[in-house]
Amino acid sequence: MQIIKTIAELRQTVAACKRQAKTIGLVPTMGALHEGHASLIRRCVSENGVTFVSVFVNPTQFNNKEDLANYPRDLMRDAELLSNIGADFVFAPTPEEMYTPEEMNRPFEFDFAGLDQVMEGKMRPGHFNGVVQVVSKLFRLVEPDRAYFGEKDFQQLAIIRRMVDVLHFDVQIVGCPIVRAESGLALSSRNERLSDAEKTTAVNISRVLFASTDYAKTHSVDQTVQWVTDELNAIDGLEVEYYEIVDQTTLQPVTDFAHAIGCVTVYCGPVRLIDNIKYA
Ligand code: PAF
């Protein structure tokens, strides 16, 4: 497995793969890899001639400087895991390699058609501008046939699908199911920041979400939203930032459960965790 640090080297490597007519799979990540990423990468390896994984903590998608500073980084550990699961190339640039100073400081413009006005977008203004900025750059550089994203970041996946439509990228977006610990906790790089006690508390997030699919059978959308919020807030150490039940494509609020997904953000101590559950 080769670690690539510069855009020039990335371009040469991609060109060589294209000359050999290999199908290219890309898994964009911010590192701190866990079994959730590994499942995306294994799928990518099995479906493509060559697998590129980007490991880049993208500064333009952090609206909170402290969150950016605290984001776990360990390229050597990530590289070992990637090599064990068969990735061919890791692209790990510096922010200066990816962005001009202007790009770093000016919000990237994109017409989200309202997809950025709800949930994560509402709570983290500018976050999805940065995501679209970096993923569109990666798509232009790697020109993948397929790109893999986890459904845990469901809003991100919906936005990337729109970006591909609007900017006419010739890439198949593959959404992959959430990977959970045996306890039910959705795997996330942020879990590394949870103490053992907080991990035990955080298990309640998925427990309540799963239980809500039963509750929803006999209650309305609004009642289910309230129930999930109350159940989670009643647990010591958890504080709900939002729970919304929305359409899986438009991310707009719904009044029935057809094509609905519930998306939650919960603070577990200082750590902000997200999870979701499909009702249909
Ligand atoms: O989901 C992530 O890890 C990031 O948002 C992504 C897609 C790698 C862009 O930086």
Side-chain angles (χ1 to χ4, degrees):
M1 191 190 69
Q2 187 182 333
I3 299 182
I4 299 172
K5 296 267 190 180
T6 65
I7 287 176
E9 196 188 344
L10 178 64
R11 283 192 195 284
Q12 283 168 12
T13 310
V14 168
C17 295
K18 299 244 174 222
R19 278 197 300 277
Q20 292 162 39
K22 290 188 170 161
T23 54
I24 296 182
L26 170 68
V27 186
T29 82
M30 297 208 298
L33 302 177
H34 49 67
E35 207 30 56
H37 296 108
S39 76
L40 305 183
I41 295 157
R42 280 196 202 98
R43 181 157 173 195
C44 183
V45 169
S46 75
E47 293 179 349
N48 298 280
V50 66
T51 290
F52 285 77
V53 178
S54 59
V55 173
F56 178 59
V57 182
N58 174 32
T60 68
Q61 71 186 74
F62 285 80
N63 56 332
N64 178 331
K65 289 215 162 27
E66 204 181 319
D67 202 15
L68 173 62
N70 285 335
Y71 204 86
R73 295 163 169 88
D74 190 344
L75 181 59
M76 285 309 122
R77 182 184 154 274
D78 289 342
E80 195 181 323
L81 184 139
L82 289 169
S83 144
N84 288 340
I85 54 183
D88 299 287
F89 300 102
V90 181
F91 179 49
T94 59
E96 292 71 28
E97 183 72 13
M98 282 299 269
Y99 297 122
T100 63
E102 293 77 43
E103 284 176 316
M104 286 273 247
N105 294 317
R106 183 173 9 94
F108 182 79
E109 283 181 26
F110 179 72
D111 174 10
F112 290 91
L115 291 177
D116 65 329
Q117 297 302 311
V118 294
M119 303 190 293
E120 287 301 284
K122 197 161 71 184
M123 297 301 162
R124 303 173 71 188
H127 166 66
F128 287 118
N129 302 72
V131 171
V132 169
Q133 181 178 35
V134 74
V135 176
S136 60
K137 267 189 194 261
L138 290 169
F139 282 4
R140 249 178 254 120
L141 292 168
V142 179
E143 294 177 38
D145 298 283
R146 299 186 188 87
Y148 296 76
F149 295 88
E151 287 191 344
K152 185 167 80 64
D153 296 297
F154 197 84
Q155 187 169 8
Q156 169 171 281
L157 181 57
I159 285 174
I160 285 167
R161 288 191 195 286
R162 173 168 169 83
M163 179 193 89
V164 165
D165 273 1
V166 171
L167 302 182
H168 308 293
F169 282 111
D170 189 12
V171 56
Q172 182 193 338
I173 300 300
V174 184
C176 303
I178 297 179
V179 179
R180 297 183 181 279
E182 233 173 87
S183 63
L185 179 64
L187 297 192
S188 162
S189 306
R190 288 169 200 267
N191 295 355
E192 283 187 24
R193 292 171 52 205
L194 296 171
S195 66
D196 286 347
E198 285 166 345
K199 262 187 201 142
T200 308
T201 305
V203 167
N204 287 292
I205 302 170
S206 56
R207 182 185 61 72
V208 171
L209 289 184
F210 294 145
S212 77
T213 59
D214 266 344
Y215 185 91
K217 288 181 188 148
T218 49
H219 295 83
S220 70
V221 168
D222 284 352
Q223 285 169 327
T224 307
V225 168
Q226 196 58 52
W227 184 81
V228 168
T229 309
D230 291 347
E231 289 285 309
L232 289 173
N233 279 335
I235 294 158
D236 241 9
L238 292 186
E239 193 182 332
V240 174
E241 187 176 72
Y242 65 79
Y243 183 59
E244 292 192 27
I245 298 180
V246 297
D247 179 84
Q248 290 179 25
T249 308
T250 65
L251 305 182
Q252 297 308 306
V254 290
T255 49
D256 65 60
F257 290 102
H259 206 242
I261 185 165
C263 299
V264 74
T265 291
V266 185
Y267 276 93
C268 181
V271 186
R272 192 173 180 275
L273 298 174
I274 65 173
D275 201 346
N276 62 63
I277 189 94
K278 287 183 186 163
Y279 289 99

